[in-house]
Structures are given as C-alpha cells and as structure tokens.
C-alpha cells in the first residue's frame, strides 16, 4: 500500500503529533508498505534552503526517518516559535501526484492538513484524518474565545475525510457531539521496550533528590494550555522534589511559579526513559489532552500517575488501581493526591505494577496494525461505492 502522511509536525519536533506520525511511518515501512511524509520544515535555515531549490528529502534533519520526507517552507507560530506553520507550496500537491498513494493520512490536520485534504479531494484520493489536538481548547486558552470557529474548521476538514480516527473515547464523543461524521476509535501505542521499570537509575535519583526526597515528575510542553503551574502545591510538600522535563514559552514563568523544582529541559530517547523510570509519581496537569502519551509512557515505566479526570487520561488511568484522577484545574486536588501517594510506598508500588501490566500489550506494532485495518476498510468502502 502506498500512503502519504501529511502531518502538521514531524521530528526533530518533539510533541505528540510528531511522535505519532513517525511511529506510523515506521510501522508502515516495517510492514512492507510505502509511506511518504509531507511536513513543515523545522527551522528558518531549512525553509530558506527549500526556497532556494534545495532538495526536500534526504537532508540532515530527516536522516533518521524511515521513509522519504518532503519538507514545506514554514514560519514559526507567533508567540510560540517551537510550533511551525507550513506556508502555501506546490510541493504538497506534487508529492501526492508523484507518490500515487492508495490513501492519504492526515495527522492532526489544521493548516497543512487542510490543504492535504483539499488536494486529496481534487485527485479523488481516499483520506483518513487523525484527530489529535484539542483546537477548541487551545482557542479558549490563547484567545479567550474562538471555540465555535475552531469547531467549524474541524468539521470542515474532518467532514471531507472518508474516516476520522479519534484517540480516546472522550475525543470521539466530542467529535460526534460537534457533528463530525464517520468517527472511529484509534488509540496510541507505547514503546514498552524503551519505557520500562528496570531503567530506574539510583545515581540519577541521588542527583535529583540528594536528601532522599520523593521525586514527582512532569514531562511535556511548557505552555499555557498545560497548566503546569498547578504543581506549585506539590513543590511545597515536605520531602518532595518536583522534576520538570520539557521546554516551551512558559519556561520563565514556571521557573518562578515552581520554587525548588528541577528543570531538566527537553529530553528524548533512552535518556527520557531513564528519567521516567526514576520517578516515584508522575503528575500531569493539562485539561485539553485528547490522549496524553506521557501518561502512557509513565505507566509503561511502572510509575503511578496523577492526572485530570478529563479527556484522554480517562481511558488510560484506572482510578484507584494504576493512579489517581483528580478534578481538572484543581491545584489542591493535585497536591492532595500526590501527598496521599507520597505517604504510602506500598500503594505506589502496587499502582506502578498494575500500570505496567495494563499497557504491556499496547505496542506501536499492535496499534499500527489497527491503523492499517482502518485504511483497508476505507479502500473497501470506496470500491463498494464505485461498484454500486
């Protein structure tokens, strides 16, 4: 099967959309399919080279990609330079024409993905749209309004797709409530080989908590929509050290709001896995997660989770068995949940073991095969429509 993956983000970007697109491309290649990725260029230098006629594939940022990558010139999102927005370009349509895909995969479509949907429709190509970002929640956070406009955009793009895939039951319900048709559930996988309990590193723990404190960690973007400031109460707990992994526009604000916290910056790969496994509790605060991959990575690492009882975490955390769900945006509830786990090592160990057991079968290979099944269903539906 030939597949073009049009994604709003791709490595070296570090976020859920980029990671999922990479894993999808990797799985398709491993199964003998022929994927091609179309993504925004990751830097001004890269975009400038494209404008000057540079090759869109085989360049250094994509040397680890499992397939060819066509890069589209891009600009940073105002106020959030870590996010790149693709500019209009003929490269997208050319990639679809040249690769001749059986199906077009739209990863979190909004700007580049919307153009990909329009190009696929013009060419009569089947399209599967993957919903991954709570754009309405972002509009509420960054603009204080605009939710209705965000949902109109979502309906417009996803409504034109042959199938929309939602990562959680909460996201599926939101999409159906707002009139998006043909929605199915497709969760995310986790690398259970990389993220595992035996990566726990006592030397790292001594560096992070030299007085033997209990280590509570947050991993993710440092941005307003994540509400990491809700962890301020955790910083005030006796015998607790907060560790923050990630980067983003809220870094300076959070450094003041979370006194005593250790900020480790962006970490990836085995280094990130070692940090996850070395935590005693993982705490997530974002109320707009359509899935929340870091919760699943913490669980694979054998770490109990505290997360808001909204969105993706509702499907991931078994309250009272693998972690604790708390009311969203409730700093006191987060603090109290962490405090209850801090004082009960046996409960932490039981939660962590149950969390690992719960996710052991959620591999990217298993999830990738389910995705291929969705592709096959869409193609079969197209063939049936033609035959009729």
């Amino acid at each position: 099967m030939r597949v073009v993956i049009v994604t709003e983000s791709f490595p070296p970007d570090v976020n859920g959309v980029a990671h999922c697109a990479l894993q999808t491309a990797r799985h398709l290649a491993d199964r003998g399919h022929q994927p091609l990725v179309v993504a925004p260029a990751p830097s001004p230098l890269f975009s400038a080279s494209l404008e000057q006629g540079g090759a869109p594939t085989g360049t250094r940022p994509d040397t680890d990609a499992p397939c060819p990558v066509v890069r589209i010139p891009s600009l940073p999102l105002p106020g959030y330079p870590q996010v790149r927005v693709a500019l209009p370009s003929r490269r997208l349509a050319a990639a679809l024409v040249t690769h001749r895909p059986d199906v077009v995969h739209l990863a979190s479509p909004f700007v580049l993905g919307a153009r990909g949907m329009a190009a696929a429709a013009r060419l009569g190509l089947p399209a599967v749209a993957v919903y991954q970002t709570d754009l309405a929640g972002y509009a509420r956070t960054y603009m204080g309004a605009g939710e209705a406009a965000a949902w109109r955009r979502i309906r417009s793009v996803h409504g034109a797709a042959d199938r929309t895939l939602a990562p959680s039951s909460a996201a599926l319900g939101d999409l159906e409530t707002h009139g998006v048709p043909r929605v199915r559930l497709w969760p995310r996988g986790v690398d259970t080989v990389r993220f595992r309990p035996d990566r726990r590193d006592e030397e790292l723990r001594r560096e992070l908590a030299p007085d033997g404190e209990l280590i509570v960690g947050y991993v993710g973007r440092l941005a307003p929509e994540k509400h990491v400031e809700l962890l301020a109460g955790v910083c005030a707990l006796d015998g607790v050290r907060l560790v923050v992994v990630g980067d983003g526009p809220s870094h300076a604000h959070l450094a003041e709001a979370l006194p005593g916290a250790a900020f480790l910056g962006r970490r990836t790969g085995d280094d990130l896995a070692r940090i996850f496994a070395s935590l005693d509790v993982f705490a997530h605060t974002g109320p707009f997660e359509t899935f929340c991959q870091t919760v699943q990575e913490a669980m694979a690492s054998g770490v109990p989770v505290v997360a808001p009882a909204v969105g993706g975490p509702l499907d991931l955390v078994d309250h009272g068995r693998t972690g604790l769900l708390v009311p969203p945006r409730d700093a006191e509830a987060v603090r109290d949940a962490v405090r209850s786990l801090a004082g009960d090592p046996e409960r932490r160990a039981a939660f962590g073991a149950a969390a690992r057991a719960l996710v052991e079968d959620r591999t990217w290979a298993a999830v990738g095969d389910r995705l291929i099944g969705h592709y096959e269903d869409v193609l079969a539906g197209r063939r049936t429509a033609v035959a009729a």
Side-chain angles (χ1 to χ4, degrees):
M1 190 183 309
R2 301 176 70 85
V3 181
V4 169
I5 301 170
V6 182
T7 177
E8 304 290 341
S9 185
F10 197 70
D13 298 345
V14 178
N15 56 60
V17 173
H19 182 67
C20 185
L22 173 63
Q23 293 292 345
T24 297
R26 183 173 290 155
H27 183 73
L28 289 171
D30 287 346
R31 288 289 189 261
H33 300 289
Q34 299 176 62
L36 171 76
V37 170
V38 180
S43 68
L45 182 62
F46 199 114
S47 291
S49 72
L50 292 182
E51 292 288 8
Q52 295 165 13
T57 62
T59 48
R60 184 171 182 181
D62 298 317
T63 52
D64 294 330
C67 65
V69 181
V70 174
R71 291 291 187 171
I72 307 298
S74 67
L75 290 174
L77 186 68
Y80 201 156
Q82 292 89 347
V83 176
R84 308 285 306 181
V85 178
L87 297 170
S89 172
R90 294 183 179 140
R91 292 178 182 272
L92 171 58
L96 294 179
V97 171
T98 302
H99 195 65
R100 295 177 291 107
D102 299 293
V103 63
V104 177
H105 174 119
L106 306 169
S108 194
F110 191 64
V111 178
L112 183 59
R115 297 176 195 139
M117 183 69 256
R122 286 195 303 271
L123 296 168
L125 298 171
V128 172
V130 178
Y131 178 73
Q132 197 161 338
T133 304
D134 183 0
L135 296 170
Y138 280 31
R140 190 162 58 247
T141 297
Y142 285 96
M143 296 180 287
E147 292 177 70
W151 276 113
R152 284 195 297 272
R153 178 75 164 184
I154 292 167
R155 278 194 300 273
S156 173
V157 176
H158 287 266
D162 293 74
R163 179 168 295 188
T164 286
L165 301 180
S168 64
S169 55
L172 188 149
D174 283 346
L175 289 164
E176 291 184 335
T177 297
H178 287 89
V180 176
R182 301 178 294 280
V183 185
R184 301 290 186 275
L185 184 65
W186 180 57
R188 302 293 178 265
V190 62
D191 187 341
T192 54
V193 174
R194 169 165 283 165
F195 296 98
R196 60 181 194 267
D198 64 6
R199 297 243 185 206
R200 191 175 179 89
D201 187 326
E202 293 303 327
E203 181 178 349
L204 173 63
R205 286 179 54 80
R206 285 190 293 271
E207 292 175 7
L208 296 174
D211 296 323
E213 300 97 329
L214 180 125
I215 302 175
V216 177
Y218 166 86
V219 178
R221 287 196 309 278
L222 307 186
E225 75 274 6
K226 299 297 185 180
H227 291 280
V228 186
E229 69 279 356
L230 294 174
L231 295 174
V234 174
C235 293
L237 293 174
D238 290 337
V240 171
R241 184 75 191 281
L242 178 65
V243 173
V244 177
V245 180
D247 198 6
S250 296
H251 182 276
H253 163 69
L254 292 171
E256 294 182 3
L258 304 175
F263 286 81
L264 304 187
R266 190 178 76 174
R267 302 295 182 94
T268 60
D270 291 345
D271 186 28
L272 178 61
R274 185 171 62 109
I275 295 170
F276 262 119
S278 299
L279 302 176
D280 295 301
V281 176
F282 178 76
H284 193 82
T285 52
F288 304 124
E289 303 297 328
T290 59
F291 185 75
C292 201
Q293 183 66 12
T294 55
V295 163
Q296 195 164 239
E297 289 168 349
M299 293 172 68
S301 303
V303 178
V305 171
V306 173
V310 65
L314 290 171
D315 284 358
L316 298 174
V317 180
D318 187 349
H319 179 72
R321 178 169 168 251
T322 66
L324 298 174
L325 293 169
V326 299
R329 308 193 204 197
D330 189 331
E332 291 185 2
V334 173
R335 179 202 61 202
D336 292 347
V338 170
R339 181 162 49 197
S340 71
L341 290 173
D344 195 340
E346 291 184 1
R347 193 183 188 202
R348 292 201 309 272
F351 279 13
R356 171 69 188 188
L358 192 64
V359 303
E360 277 186 313
D361 294 332
R362 298 179 187 173
T363 64
W364 278 107
V367 169
D369 285 343
R370 289 177 63 176
L371 176 63
I372 293 170
H374 285 296
Y375 292 165
E376 291 171 343
D377 287 349
V378 164
L379 292 174
R382 284 279 184 127
R383 286 193 294 268
T384 298
V386 170

PDB file of all heavy atoms in Angstrom, residues 39-57:
ATOM      1  N   ALA A  39       5.700  17.366   5.595  1.00  0.00           N
ATOM      2  CA  ALA A  39       5.679  18.068   6.876  1.00  0.00           C
ATOM      3  C   ALA A  39       6.296  19.449   6.742  1.00  0.00           C
ATOM      4  O   ALA A  39       7.084  19.704   5.824  1.00  0.00           O
ATOM      5  CB  ALA A  39       6.459  17.257   7.924  1.00  0.00           C
ATOM      6  N   PRO A  40       5.974  20.365   7.658  1.00  0.00           N
ATOM      7  CA  PRO A  40       6.630  21.683   7.639  1.00  0.00           C
ATOM      8  C   PRO A  40       8.133  21.553   7.882  1.00  0.00           C
ATOM      9  O   PRO A  40       8.586  20.680   8.628  1.00  0.00           O
ATOM     10  CB  PRO A  40       5.960  22.429   8.807  1.00  0.00           C
ATOM     11  CG  PRO A  40       4.677  21.705   9.050  1.00  0.00           C
ATOM     12  CD  PRO A  40       4.950  20.277   8.720  1.00  0.00           C
ATOM     13  N   ALA A  41       8.899  22.417   7.254  1.00  0.00           N
ATOM     14  CA  ALA A  41      10.338  22.478   7.531  1.00  0.00           C
ATOM     15  C   ALA A  41      10.542  22.915   8.975  1.00  0.00           C
ATOM     16  O   ALA A  41       9.828  23.778   9.475  1.00  0.00           O
ATOM     17  CB  ALA A  41      11.016  23.449   6.572  1.00  0.00           C
ATOM     18  N   PRO A  42      11.522  22.341   9.667  1.00  0.00           N
ATOM     19  CA  PRO A  42      11.645  22.575  11.107  1.00  0.00           C
ATOM     20  C   PRO A  42      12.389  23.827  11.530  1.00  0.00           C
ATOM     21  O   PRO A  42      12.451  24.116  12.711  1.00  0.00           O
ATOM     22  CB  PRO A  42      12.410  21.334  11.573  1.00  0.00           C
ATOM     23  CG  PRO A  42      13.264  20.973  10.399  1.00  0.00           C
ATOM     24  CD  PRO A  42      12.447  21.307   9.179  1.00  0.00           C
ATOM     25  N   SER A  43      12.993  24.570  10.599  1.00  0.00           N
ATOM     26  CA  SER A  43      13.789  25.725  11.003  1.00  0.00           C
ATOM     27  C   SER A  43      13.850  26.746   9.883  1.00  0.00           C
ATOM     28  O   SER A  43      13.626  26.418   8.714  1.00  0.00           O
ATOM     29  CB  SER A  43      15.212  25.286  11.351  1.00  0.00           C
ATOM     30  OG  SER A  43      15.893  24.851  10.185  1.00  0.00           O
ATOM     31  N   PRO A  44      14.182  27.996  10.211  1.00  0.00           N
ATOM     32  CA  PRO A  44      14.321  29.012   9.162  1.00  0.00           C
ATOM     33  C   PRO A  44      15.380  28.642   8.130  1.00  0.00           C
ATOM     34  O   PRO A  44      15.202  28.876   6.942  1.00  0.00           O
ATOM     35  CB  PRO A  44      14.717  30.273   9.944  1.00  0.00           C
ATOM     36  CG  PRO A  44      14.223  30.043  11.328  1.00  0.00           C
ATOM     37  CD  PRO A  44      14.344  28.558  11.564  1.00  0.00           C
ATOM     38  N   LEU A  45      16.496  28.046   8.578  1.00  0.00           N
ATOM     39  CA  LEU A  45      17.560  27.675   7.665  1.00  0.00           C
ATOM     40  C   LEU A  45      17.085  26.624   6.677  1.00  0.00           C
ATOM     41  O   LEU A  45      17.352  26.690   5.478  1.00  0.00           O
ATOM     42  CB  LEU A  45      18.771  27.147   8.450  1.00  0.00           C
ATOM     43  CG  LEU A  45      20.000  26.752   7.619  1.00  0.00           C
ATOM     44  CD1 LEU A  45      20.532  27.965   6.866  1.00  0.00           C
ATOM     45  CD2 LEU A  45      21.076  26.161   8.529  1.00  0.00           C
ATOM     46  N   PHE A  46      16.339  25.656   7.198  1.00  0.00           N
ATOM     47  CA  PHE A  46      15.798  24.606   6.341  1.00  0.00           C
ATOM     48  C   PHE A  46      14.816  25.200   5.336  1.00  0.00           C
ATOM     49  O   PHE A  46      14.859  24.899   4.139  1.00  0.00           O
ATOM     50  CB  PHE A  46      15.098  23.558   7.214  1.00  0.00           C
ATOM     51  CG  PHE A  46      14.902  22.224   6.553  1.00  0.00           C
ATOM     52  CD1 PHE A  46      15.559  21.111   7.017  1.00  0.00           C
ATOM     53  CD2 PHE A  46      14.042  22.073   5.476  1.00  0.00           C
ATOM     54  CE1 PHE A  46      15.375  19.866   6.419  1.00  0.00           C
ATOM     55  CE2 PHE A  46      13.851  20.850   4.862  1.00  0.00           C
ATOM     56  CZ  PHE A  46      14.518  19.736   5.341  1.00  0.00           C
ATOM     57  N   SER A  47      13.911  26.076   5.819  1.00  0.00           N
ATOM     58  CA  SER A  47      12.935  26.696   4.917  1.00  0.00           C
ATOM     59  C   SER A  47      13.634  27.518   3.843  1.00  0.00           C
ATOM     60  O   SER A  47      13.234  27.502   2.673  1.00  0.00           O
ATOM     61  CB  SER A  47      11.981  27.588   5.723  1.00  0.00           C
ATOM     62  OG  SER A  47      11.140  26.816   6.542  1.00  0.00           O
ATOM     63  N   ALA A  48      14.697  28.235   4.221  1.00  0.00           N
ATOM     64  CA  ALA A  48      15.421  29.042   3.248  1.00  0.00           C
ATOM     65  C   ALA A  48      16.050  28.167   2.173  1.00  0.00           C
ATOM     66  O   ALA A  48      16.044  28.504   0.989  1.00  0.00           O
ATOM     67  CB  ALA A  48      16.500  29.860   3.958  1.00  0.00           C
ATOM     68  N   SER A  49      16.566  27.004   2.557  1.00  0.00           N
ATOM     69  CA  SER A  49      17.177  26.112   1.570  1.00  0.00           C
ATOM     70  C   SER A  49      16.142  25.593   0.592  1.00  0.00           C
ATOM     71  O   SER A  49      16.420  25.406  -0.592  1.00  0.00           O
ATOM     72  CB  SER A  49      17.883  24.943   2.266  1.00  0.00           C
ATOM     73  OG  SER A  49      16.952  24.031   2.813  1.00  0.00           O
ATOM     74  N   LEU A  50      14.906  25.387   1.070  1.00  0.00           N
ATOM     75  CA  LEU A  50      13.844  24.932   0.172  1.00  0.00           C
ATOM     76  C   LEU A  50      13.463  26.037  -0.805  1.00  0.00           C
ATOM     77  O   LEU A  50      13.244  25.798  -1.990  1.00  0.00           O
ATOM     78  CB  LEU A  50      12.611  24.508   0.979  1.00  0.00           C
ATOM     79  CG  LEU A  50      12.760  23.250   1.845  1.00  0.00           C
ATOM     80  CD1 LEU A  50      11.438  22.947   2.534  1.00  0.00           C
ATOM     81  CD2 LEU A  50      13.211  22.050   1.043  1.00  0.00           C
ATOM     82  N   GLU A  51      13.379  27.262  -0.286  1.00  0.00           N
ATOM     83  CA  GLU A  51      13.032  28.383  -1.160  1.00  0.00           C
ATOM     84  C   GLU A  51      14.070  28.567  -2.260  1.00  0.00           C
ATOM     85  O   GLU A  51      13.777  29.031  -3.356  1.00  0.00           O
ATOM     86  CB  GLU A  51      12.927  29.668  -0.329  1.00  0.00           C
ATOM     87  CG  GLU A  51      11.752  29.683   0.642  1.00  0.00           C
ATOM     88  CD  GLU A  51      10.419  29.847  -0.046  1.00  0.00           C
ATOM     89  OE1 GLU A  51      10.366  29.809  -1.288  1.00  0.00           O
ATOM     90  OE2 GLU A  51       9.417  30.011   0.659  1.00  0.00           O
ATOM     91  N   GLN A  52      15.320  28.179  -1.959  1.00  0.00           N
ATOM     92  CA  GLN A  52      16.394  28.309  -2.939  1.00  0.00           C
ATOM     93  C   GLN A  52      16.533  27.069  -3.823  1.00  0.00           C
ATOM     94  O   GLN A  52      17.481  26.940  -4.579  1.00  0.00           O
ATOM     95  CB  GLN A  52      17.714  28.565  -2.199  1.00  0.00           C
ATOM     96  CG  GLN A  52      17.741  29.900  -1.458  1.00  0.00           C
ATOM     97  CD  GLN A  52      18.871  29.982  -0.453  1.00  0.00           C
ATOM     98  OE1 GLN A  52      19.776  29.151  -0.461  1.00  0.00           O
ATOM     99  NE2 GLN A  52      18.816  30.982   0.416  1.00  0.00           N
ATOM    100  N   GLY A  53      15.558  26.164  -3.704  1.00  0.00           N
ATOM    101  CA  GLY A  53      15.572  24.989  -4.569  1.00  0.00           C
ATOM    102  C   GLY A  53      16.276  23.794  -3.986  1.00  0.00           C
ATOM    103  O   GLY A  53      16.592  22.844  -4.689  1.00  0.00           O
ATOM    104  N   GLY A  54      16.523  23.816  -2.668  1.00  0.00           N
ATOM    105  CA  GLY A  54      17.186  22.687  -2.026  1.00  0.00           C
ATOM    106  C   GLY A  54      16.334  21.436  -2.086  1.00  0.00           C
ATOM    107  O   GLY A  54      15.115  21.480  -2.222  1.00  0.00           O
ATOM    108  N   ALA A  55      16.969  20.284  -1.968  1.00  0.00           N
ATOM    109  CA  ALA A  55      16.258  19.010  -2.040  1.00  0.00           C
ATOM    110  C   ALA A  55      15.361  18.838  -0.828  1.00  0.00           C
ATOM    111  O   ALA A  55      15.775  19.079   0.303  1.00  0.00           O
ATOM    112  CB  ALA A  55      17.265  17.858  -2.100  1.00  0.00           C
ATOM    113  N   PRO A  56      14.091  18.431  -1.019  1.00  0.00           N
ATOM    114  CA  PRO A  56      13.179  18.278   0.099  1.00  0.00           C
ATOM    115  C   PRO A  56      13.367  16.985   0.861  1.00  0.00           C
ATOM    116  O   PRO A  56      12.760  16.791   1.890  1.00  0.00           O
ATOM    117  CB  PRO A  56      11.799  18.315  -0.566  1.00  0.00           C
ATOM    118  CG  PRO A  56      12.041  17.774  -1.932  1.00  0.00           C
ATOM    119  CD  PRO A  56      13.424  18.239  -2.316  1.00  0.00           C
ATOM    120  N   THR A  57      14.141  16.041   0.357  1.00  0.00           N
ATOM    121  CA  THR A  57      14.337  14.783   1.059  1.00  0.00           C
ATOM    122  C   THR A  57      15.817  14.513   1.210  1.00  0.00           C
ATOM    123  O   THR A  57      16.664  15.083   0.525  1.00  0.00           O
ATOM    124  CB  THR A  57      13.698  13.612   0.288  1.00  0.00           C
ATOM    125  OG1 THR A  57      14.340  13.504  -0.981  1.00  0.00           O
ATOM    126  CG2 THR A  57      12.216  13.840   0.067  1.00  0.00           C
TER     127      THR A  57
END
